[in-house]
Short mmCIF file of all heavy atoms in Angstrom, two decimals:
data_model
loop_
_atom_site.label_atom_id
_atom_site.label_comp_id
_atom_site.label_asym_id
_atom_site.label_seq_id
_atom_site.Cartn_x
_atom_site.Cartn_y
_atom_site.Cartn_z
N MET A 1 0.82 -1.19 0.00
CA MET A 1 0.00 0.00 0.00
C MET A 1 0.87 1.26 0.00
O MET A 1 0.56 2.21 -0.69
CB MET A 1 -0.92 -0.02 1.21
CG MET A 1 -1.90 1.12 1.22
SD MET A 1 -3.01 1.17 -0.19
CE MET A 1 -3.60 -0.50 -0.21
N THR A 2 1.92 1.23 0.80
CA THR A 2 2.77 2.42 0.83
C THR A 2 3.44 2.66 -0.51
O THR A 2 3.70 3.81 -0.87
CB THR A 2 3.83 2.35 1.96
OG1 THR A 2 4.57 1.15 1.81
CG2 THR A 2 3.18 2.39 3.33
N ASP A 3 3.70 1.58 -1.28
CA ASP A 3 4.28 1.77 -2.62
C ASP A 3 3.33 2.56 -3.51
O ASP A 3 3.76 3.46 -4.23
CB ASP A 3 4.60 0.42 -3.27
CG ASP A 3 5.78 -0.29 -2.61
OD1 ASP A 3 6.56 0.39 -1.91
OD2 ASP A 3 5.90 -1.51 -2.78
N LEU A 4 2.05 2.23 -3.48
CA LEU A 4 1.05 2.97 -4.25
C LEU A 4 1.03 4.42 -3.80
O LEU A 4 1.03 5.34 -4.62
CB LEU A 4 -0.33 2.34 -4.07
CG LEU A 4 -1.53 3.19 -4.54
CD1 LEU A 4 -1.42 3.49 -6.04
CD2 LEU A 4 -2.83 2.50 -4.21
N GLN A 5 1.02 4.64 -2.52
CA GLN A 5 0.95 6.01 -2.00
C GLN A 5 2.20 6.81 -2.37
O GLN A 5 2.10 7.97 -2.74
CB GLN A 5 0.74 5.96 -0.48
CG GLN A 5 -0.65 5.44 -0.15
CD GLN A 5 -0.81 5.05 1.29
OE1 GLN A 5 0.13 4.62 1.95
NE2 GLN A 5 -2.04 5.18 1.79
N ARG A 6 3.35 6.19 -2.32
CA ARG A 6 4.58 6.88 -2.74
C ARG A 6 4.54 7.19 -4.23
O ARG A 6 4.99 8.25 -4.67
CB ARG A 6 5.79 6.03 -2.39
CG ARG A 6 6.10 6.02 -0.93
CD ARG A 6 7.39 5.28 -0.62
NE ARG A 6 7.60 5.24 0.82
CZ ARG A 6 7.68 4.13 1.52
NH1 ARG A 6 7.61 2.95 0.94
NH2 ARG A 6 7.86 4.18 2.82
N LEU A 7 4.03 6.25 -5.01
CA LEU A 7 3.91 6.46 -6.45
C LEU A 7 2.96 7.61 -6.76
O LEU A 7 3.27 8.47 -7.59
CB LEU A 7 3.42 5.17 -7.13
CG LEU A 7 3.36 5.15 -8.63
CD1 LEU A 7 4.71 5.46 -9.25
CD2 LEU A 7 2.88 3.79 -9.10
N LEU A 8 1.83 7.66 -6.09
CA LEU A 8 0.89 8.77 -6.28
C LEU A 8 1.53 10.10 -5.89
O LEU A 8 1.40 11.09 -6.60
CB LEU A 8 -0.40 8.53 -5.46
CG LEU A 8 -1.32 7.44 -5.99
CD1 LEU A 8 -2.39 7.10 -4.95
CD2 LEU A 8 -1.96 7.84 -7.30
N PHE A 9 2.24 10.10 -4.77
CA PHE A 9 2.91 11.32 -4.33
C PHE A 9 3.93 11.78 -5.38
O PHE A 9 3.99 12.95 -5.72
CB PHE A 9 3.60 11.09 -2.98
CG PHE A 9 4.18 12.33 -2.37
CD1 PHE A 9 3.41 13.14 -1.57
CD2 PHE A 9 5.49 12.69 -2.62
CE1 PHE A 9 3.93 14.30 -1.00
CE2 PHE A 9 6.03 13.84 -2.07
CZ PHE A 9 5.25 14.65 -1.27
N ALA A 10 4.69 10.83 -5.92
CA ALA A 10 5.69 11.15 -6.94
C ALA A 10 5.05 11.66 -8.23
O ALA A 10 5.67 12.43 -8.97
CB ALA A 10 6.54 9.92 -7.23
N GLN A 11 3.79 11.27 -8.48
CA GLN A 11 3.06 11.72 -9.66
C GLN A 11 2.45 13.11 -9.45
O GLN A 11 1.78 13.63 -10.31
CB GLN A 11 1.95 10.72 -10.01
CG GLN A 11 2.43 9.36 -10.40
CD GLN A 11 2.68 9.24 -11.88
OE1 GLN A 11 2.04 9.91 -12.68
NE2 GLN A 11 3.61 8.40 -12.25
N GLY A 12 2.67 13.69 -8.25
CA GLY A 12 2.19 15.04 -7.99
C GLY A 12 0.99 15.12 -7.07
O GLY A 12 0.49 16.21 -6.81
N PHE A 13 0.54 14.00 -6.57
CA PHE A 13 -0.59 13.99 -5.65
C PHE A 13 -0.05 14.15 -4.23
O PHE A 13 0.01 13.21 -3.44
CB PHE A 13 -1.41 12.71 -5.82
CG PHE A 13 -2.00 12.58 -7.19
CD1 PHE A 13 -1.32 11.87 -8.17
CD2 PHE A 13 -3.18 13.21 -7.51
CE1 PHE A 13 -1.84 11.78 -9.46
CE2 PHE A 13 -3.71 13.11 -8.80
CZ PHE A 13 -3.03 12.41 -9.77
N THR A 14 0.36 15.38 -3.92
CA THR A 14 1.09 15.65 -2.68
C THR A 14 0.23 15.52 -1.43
O THR A 14 0.76 15.53 -0.33
CB THR A 14 1.72 17.04 -2.73
OG1 THR A 14 0.70 18.01 -3.00
CG2 THR A 14 2.79 17.12 -3.82
N TYR A 15 -1.07 15.38 -1.60
CA TYR A 15 -1.95 15.18 -0.45
C TYR A 15 -1.99 13.72 -0.01
O TYR A 15 -2.59 13.38 1.01
CB TYR A 15 -3.37 15.68 -0.76
CG TYR A 15 -3.96 15.10 -2.03
CD1 TYR A 15 -4.56 13.85 -2.04
CD2 TYR A 15 -3.90 15.81 -3.22
CE1 TYR A 15 -5.09 13.33 -3.20
CE2 TYR A 15 -4.43 15.30 -4.38
CZ TYR A 15 -5.02 14.05 -4.38
OH TYR A 15 -5.54 13.53 -5.52
N VAL A 16 -1.33 12.82 -0.77
CA VAL A 16 -1.28 11.40 -0.42
C VAL A 16 -0.02 11.15 0.40
O VAL A 16 1.08 11.47 -0.02
CB VAL A 16 -1.29 10.51 -1.68
CG1 VAL A 16 -1.19 9.03 -1.29
CG2 VAL A 16 -2.54 10.75 -2.50
N SER A 17 -0.20 10.57 1.58
CA SER A 17 0.93 10.25 2.45
C SER A 17 1.09 8.74 2.54
O SER A 17 0.10 8.01 2.54
CB SER A 17 0.69 10.79 3.86
OG SER A 17 0.56 12.18 3.82
N PRO A 18 2.32 8.25 2.66
CA PRO A 18 2.54 6.80 2.77
C PRO A 18 2.19 6.28 4.17
O PRO A 18 3.05 6.07 5.01
CB PRO A 18 4.03 6.65 2.47
CG PRO A 18 4.64 7.95 2.84
CD PRO A 18 3.58 8.98 2.58
N THR A 19 0.90 6.09 4.39
CA THR A 19 0.42 5.62 5.69
C THR A 19 0.25 4.11 5.75
O THR A 19 0.15 3.54 6.83
CB THR A 19 -0.94 6.25 6.02
OG1 THR A 19 -1.89 5.82 5.04
CG2 THR A 19 -0.86 7.77 6.06
N GLY A 20 0.15 3.47 4.58
CA GLY A 20 -0.10 2.03 4.54
C GLY A 20 -1.58 1.69 4.65
O GLY A 20 -1.96 0.53 4.66
N VAL A 21 -2.42 2.72 4.70
CA VAL A 21 -3.86 2.54 4.81
C VAL A 21 -4.51 3.10 3.55
O VAL A 21 -4.17 4.20 3.11
CB VAL A 21 -4.42 3.28 6.06
CG1 VAL A 21 -5.93 3.16 6.14
CG2 VAL A 21 -3.77 2.74 7.31
N TYR A 22 -5.44 2.34 2.97
CA TYR A 22 -6.15 2.82 1.78
C TYR A 22 -7.21 3.82 2.22
O TYR A 22 -8.39 3.53 2.31
CB TYR A 22 -6.79 1.63 1.04
CG TYR A 22 -7.05 1.91 -0.43
CD1 TYR A 22 -6.03 1.79 -1.35
CD2 TYR A 22 -8.31 2.29 -0.87
CE1 TYR A 22 -6.26 2.04 -2.70
CE2 TYR A 22 -8.54 2.55 -2.21
CZ TYR A 22 -7.51 2.42 -3.11
OH TYR A 22 -7.73 2.67 -4.44
N ASP A 23 -6.72 5.01 2.52
CA ASP A 23 -7.57 6.05 3.10
C ASP A 23 -8.22 6.92 2.03
O ASP A 23 -8.07 6.67 0.83
CB ASP A 23 -6.76 6.90 4.08
CG ASP A 23 -5.52 7.52 3.44
OD1 ASP A 23 -5.39 7.50 2.20
OD2 ASP A 23 -4.69 8.05 4.19
N ASP A 24 -8.95 7.94 2.47
CA ASP A 24 -9.66 8.82 1.54
C ASP A 24 -8.73 9.52 0.57
O ASP A 24 -9.06 9.69 -0.60
CB ASP A 24 -10.49 9.85 2.30
CG ASP A 24 -11.69 9.25 3.02
OD1 ASP A 24 -12.12 8.15 2.63
OD2 ASP A 24 -12.18 9.89 3.97
N ALA A 25 -7.56 9.93 1.04
CA ALA A 25 -6.61 10.61 0.16
C ALA A 25 -6.11 9.67 -0.94
O ALA A 25 -5.94 10.07 -2.09
CB ALA A 25 -5.44 11.16 0.96
N THR A 26 -5.89 8.42 -0.59
CA THR A 26 -5.44 7.43 -1.58
C THR A 26 -6.52 7.18 -2.61
O THR A 26 -6.25 7.15 -3.82
CB THR A 26 -5.02 6.12 -0.88
OG1 THR A 26 -4.04 6.42 0.12
CG2 THR A 26 -4.44 5.13 -1.87
N VAL A 27 -7.74 7.01 -2.15
CA VAL A 27 -8.87 6.82 -3.07
C VAL A 27 -8.99 8.04 -3.99
O VAL A 27 -9.19 7.89 -5.21
CB VAL A 27 -10.20 6.60 -2.29
CG1 VAL A 27 -11.39 6.63 -3.24
CG2 VAL A 27 -10.15 5.29 -1.54
N ARG A 28 -8.83 9.22 -3.44
CA ARG A 28 -8.91 10.45 -4.24
C ARG A 28 -7.81 10.47 -5.31
O ARG A 28 -8.07 10.82 -6.46
CB ARG A 28 -8.78 11.65 -3.31
CG ARG A 28 -8.86 12.98 -4.00
CD ARG A 28 -8.77 14.09 -2.97
NE ARG A 28 -8.41 15.34 -3.62
CZ ARG A 28 -7.81 16.34 -3.03
NH1 ARG A 28 -7.49 16.26 -1.75
NH2 ARG A 28 -7.51 17.43 -3.69
N GLY A 29 -6.60 10.10 -4.95
CA GLY A 29 -5.51 10.06 -5.91
C GLY A 29 -5.74 9.04 -7.01
O GLY A 29 -5.53 9.31 -8.19
N VAL A 30 -6.18 7.85 -6.63
CA VAL A 30 -6.47 6.80 -7.62
C VAL A 30 -7.59 7.25 -8.55
O VAL A 30 -7.50 7.10 -9.76
CB VAL A 30 -6.81 5.46 -6.92
CG1 VAL A 30 -7.37 4.45 -7.91
CG2 VAL A 30 -5.58 4.91 -6.23
N THR A 31 -8.63 7.84 -7.98
CA THR A 31 -9.75 8.32 -8.79
C THR A 31 -9.29 9.38 -9.77
O THR A 31 -9.69 9.37 -10.95
CB THR A 31 -10.86 8.89 -7.87
OG1 THR A 31 -11.31 7.85 -7.01
CG2 THR A 31 -12.03 9.42 -8.67
N GLN A 32 -8.43 10.29 -9.33
CA GLN A 32 -7.94 11.34 -10.22
C GLN A 32 -7.08 10.77 -11.35
O GLN A 32 -7.21 11.19 -12.49
CB GLN A 32 -7.14 12.38 -9.42
CG GLN A 32 -6.80 13.61 -10.24
CD GLN A 32 -8.05 14.35 -10.69
OE1 GLN A 32 -8.92 14.63 -9.90
NE2 GLN A 32 -8.13 14.66 -11.97
N ILE A 33 -6.23 9.82 -11.03
CA ILE A 33 -5.42 9.16 -12.07
C ILE A 33 -6.35 8.51 -13.10
O ILE A 33 -6.13 8.60 -14.31
CB ILE A 33 -4.48 8.09 -11.46
CG1 ILE A 33 -3.29 8.75 -10.78
CG2 ILE A 33 -4.03 7.07 -12.48
CD1 ILE A 33 -2.17 9.18 -11.69
N GLN A 34 -7.38 7.84 -12.62
CA GLN A 34 -8.33 7.19 -13.52
C GLN A 34 -9.01 8.21 -14.42
O GLN A 34 -9.15 7.98 -15.62
CB GLN A 34 -9.36 6.38 -12.72
CG GLN A 34 -8.77 5.18 -12.05
CD GLN A 34 -9.70 4.52 -11.06
OE1 GLN A 34 -10.55 5.17 -10.44
NE2 GLN A 34 -9.55 3.22 -10.89
N ARG A 35 -9.42 9.32 -13.86
CA ARG A 35 -10.06 10.37 -14.67
C ARG A 35 -9.07 10.96 -15.68
O ARG A 35 -9.39 11.11 -16.85
CB ARG A 35 -10.57 11.48 -13.77
CG ARG A 35 -11.96 11.25 -13.30
CD ARG A 35 -12.54 12.52 -12.66
NE ARG A 35 -13.21 12.09 -11.45
CZ ARG A 35 -13.08 12.63 -10.27
NH1 ARG A 35 -12.32 13.68 -10.08
NH2 ARG A 35 -13.73 12.15 -9.25
N ASP A 36 -7.88 11.31 -15.19
CA ASP A 36 -6.87 11.95 -16.04
C ASP A 36 -6.47 11.08 -17.22
O ASP A 36 -6.20 11.58 -18.31
CB ASP A 36 -5.62 12.29 -15.23
CG ASP A 36 -5.83 13.40 -14.22
OD1 ASP A 36 -6.92 14.03 -14.24
OD2 ASP A 36 -4.93 13.63 -13.40
N ARG A 37 -6.40 9.79 -17.00
CA ARG A 37 -5.91 8.87 -18.03
C ARG A 37 -7.01 8.08 -18.73
O ARG A 37 -6.73 7.20 -19.53
CB ARG A 37 -4.88 7.93 -17.42
CG ARG A 37 -3.70 8.73 -16.86
CD ARG A 37 -2.56 7.89 -16.50
NE ARG A 37 -1.49 8.71 -15.93
CZ ARG A 37 -0.35 8.23 -15.48
NH1 ARG A 37 -0.12 6.94 -15.54
NH2 ARG A 37 0.56 9.03 -14.98
N GLY A 38 -8.25 8.38 -18.38
CA GLY A 38 -9.37 7.73 -19.05
C GLY A 38 -9.50 6.25 -18.75
O GLY A 38 -9.95 5.47 -19.59
N ILE A 39 -9.12 5.85 -17.55
CA ILE A 39 -9.18 4.43 -17.16
C ILE A 39 -10.61 4.12 -16.72
O ILE A 39 -11.11 4.70 -15.75
CB ILE A 39 -8.18 4.14 -16.02
CG1 ILE A 39 -6.77 4.46 -16.49
CG2 ILE A 39 -8.30 2.69 -15.55
CD1 ILE A 39 -5.76 4.53 -15.37
N THR A 40 -11.24 3.21 -17.42
CA THR A 40 -12.63 2.86 -17.09
C THR A 40 -12.80 1.37 -16.79
O THR A 40 -13.90 0.95 -16.43
CB THR A 40 -13.56 3.24 -18.25
OG1 THR A 40 -13.14 2.58 -19.44
CG2 THR A 40 -13.57 4.75 -18.48
N CYS A 41 -11.75 0.59 -16.94
CA CYS A 41 -11.89 -0.85 -16.74
C CYS A 41 -11.79 -1.27 -15.27
O CYS A 41 -12.10 -2.41 -14.95
CB CYS A 41 -10.90 -1.63 -17.61
SG CYS A 41 -9.21 -1.09 -17.43
N ASP A 42 -11.37 -0.38 -14.39
CA ASP A 42 -11.41 -0.63 -12.95
C ASP A 42 -12.52 0.24 -12.36
O ASP A 42 -12.77 1.34 -12.86
CB ASP A 42 -10.08 -0.22 -12.28
CG ASP A 42 -8.93 -1.13 -12.64
OD1 ASP A 42 -9.16 -2.33 -12.87
OD2 ASP A 42 -7.79 -0.63 -12.67
N PRO A 43 -13.17 -0.23 -11.30
CA PRO A 43 -14.15 0.63 -10.64
C PRO A 43 -13.48 1.92 -10.13
O PRO A 43 -12.31 1.92 -9.76
CB PRO A 43 -14.65 -0.22 -9.46
CG PRO A 43 -14.34 -1.62 -9.85
CD PRO A 43 -13.09 -1.55 -10.68
N THR A 44 -14.21 3.00 -10.11
CA THR A 44 -13.70 4.28 -9.66
C THR A 44 -13.13 4.17 -8.26
O THR A 44 -13.78 3.67 -7.35
CB THR A 44 -14.82 5.34 -9.69
OG1 THR A 44 -15.32 5.43 -11.02
CG2 THR A 44 -14.31 6.71 -9.25
N GLY A 45 -11.88 4.63 -8.11
CA GLY A 45 -11.22 4.63 -6.81
C GLY A 45 -10.58 3.31 -6.42
O GLY A 45 -9.97 3.22 -5.37
N VAL A 46 -10.70 2.31 -7.28
CA VAL A 46 -10.13 0.99 -6.98
C VAL A 46 -8.82 0.82 -7.73
O VAL A 46 -8.76 1.02 -8.95
CB VAL A 46 -11.12 -0.14 -7.35
CG1 VAL A 46 -10.47 -1.51 -7.17
CG2 VAL A 46 -12.39 -0.03 -6.53
N TYR A 47 -7.79 0.45 -7.02
CA TYR A 47 -6.47 0.23 -7.61
C TYR A 47 -6.41 -1.18 -8.20
O TYR A 47 -5.83 -2.09 -7.65
CB TYR A 47 -5.40 0.44 -6.56
CG TYR A 47 -3.98 0.37 -7.06
CD1 TYR A 47 -3.55 1.19 -8.09
CD2 TYR A 47 -3.06 -0.50 -6.51
CE1 TYR A 47 -2.24 1.15 -8.55
CE2 TYR A 47 -1.76 -0.56 -6.94
CZ TYR A 47 -1.35 0.26 -7.97
OH TYR A 47 -0.07 0.22 -8.42
N GLY A 48 -7.06 -1.33 -9.35
CA GLY A 48 -7.13 -2.61 -10.02
C GLY A 48 -6.04 -2.75 -11.07
O GLY A 48 -5.15 -1.90 -11.20
N PRO A 49 -6.11 -3.82 -11.86
CA PRO A 49 -5.05 -4.11 -12.83
C PRO A 49 -4.86 -3.03 -13.90
O PRO A 49 -3.73 -2.75 -14.30
CB PRO A 49 -5.45 -5.44 -13.46
CG PRO A 49 -6.85 -5.70 -13.03
CD PRO A 49 -7.13 -4.87 -11.83
N CYS A 50 -5.92 -2.40 -14.35
CA CYS A 50 -5.78 -1.37 -15.38
C CYS A 50 -5.11 -0.11 -14.81
O CYS A 50 -4.23 0.47 -15.46
CB CYS A 50 -7.14 -1.01 -15.97
SG CYS A 50 -7.91 -2.37 -16.88
N THR A 51 -5.50 0.27 -13.63
CA THR A 51 -4.90 1.44 -12.98
C THR A 51 -3.45 1.16 -12.65
O THR A 51 -2.57 1.99 -12.85
CB THR A 51 -5.69 1.82 -11.72
OG1 THR A 51 -7.06 1.99 -12.07
CG2 THR A 51 -5.16 3.09 -11.10
N ARG A 52 -3.18 -0.05 -12.18
CA ARG A 52 -1.81 -0.45 -11.84
C ARG A 52 -0.93 -0.38 -13.09
O ARG A 52 0.18 0.15 -13.05
CB ARG A 52 -1.83 -1.87 -11.28
CG ARG A 52 -0.52 -2.34 -10.70
CD ARG A 52 -0.66 -3.69 -9.99
NE ARG A 52 -1.52 -3.58 -8.83
CZ ARG A 52 -2.70 -4.20 -8.70
NH1 ARG A 52 -3.17 -4.96 -9.66
NH2 ARG A 52 -3.41 -4.04 -7.62
N ALA A 53 -1.43 -0.88 -14.21
CA ALA A 53 -0.66 -0.85 -15.46
C ALA A 53 -0.41 0.58 -15.91
O ALA A 53 0.69 0.91 -16.40
CB ALA A 53 -1.39 -1.65 -16.53
N ALA A 54 -1.39 1.44 -15.77
CA ALA A 54 -1.23 2.84 -16.19
C ALA A 54 -0.19 3.56 -15.34
O ALA A 54 0.57 4.37 -15.85
CB ALA A 54 -2.57 3.57 -16.10
N LEU A 55 -0.13 3.25 -14.07
CA LEU A 55 0.85 3.89 -13.20
C LEU A 55 2.25 3.33 -13.42
O LEU A 55 3.24 4.01 -13.17
CB LEU A 55 0.45 3.74 -11.74
CG LEU A 55 -0.62 4.68 -11.25
CD1 LEU A 55 -1.09 4.30 -9.86
CD2 LEU A 55 -0.13 6.11 -11.28
N ALA A 56 2.34 2.11 -13.90
CA ALA A 56 3.64 1.49 -14.14
C ALA A 56 4.31 2.03 -15.39
O ALA A 56 5.52 1.93 -15.54
CB ALA A 56 3.49 -0.02 -14.23
N SER A 57 3.52 2.61 -16.28
CA SER A 57 4.11 3.08 -17.54
C SER A 57 4.55 4.50 -17.47
O SER A 57 4.30 5.24 -16.61
CB SER A 57 3.11 2.92 -18.68
OG SER A 57 1.92 3.62 -18.41
#
């Protein structure tokens, strides 16, 4: 979980802290990435395989 949070922070989502908890800020960051990149194959706010792949690239 902290890896995702660090990755979001590095992508400019400075409101995400590496807490290890899938908290509201993490959901907000994931949701924003999904919106920004047009990811629709994962549910909104869920760090699924499509979102994971988009962040890895």
Side-chain angles (χ1 to χ4, degrees):
M1 185 60 50
T2 55
D3 289 341
L4 166 61
Q5 291 166 329
R6 286 186 183 119
L7 185 58
L8 288 168
F9 187 88
Q11 296 271 330
F13 298 94
T14 56
Y15 53 83
V16 178
S17 299
T19 63
V21 177
Y22 203 81
D23 56 12
D24 290 339
T26 305
V27 171
R28 181 178 161 205
V30 169
T31 300
Q32 189 63 49
I33 284 279
Q34 290 169 330
R35 271 192 224 132
D36 291 352
R37 300 191 182 179
I39 300 166
T40 58
C41 52
D42 291 329
T44 301
V46 174
Y47 185 56
C50 295
T51 306
R52 189 172 295 115
L55 282 171
S57 58

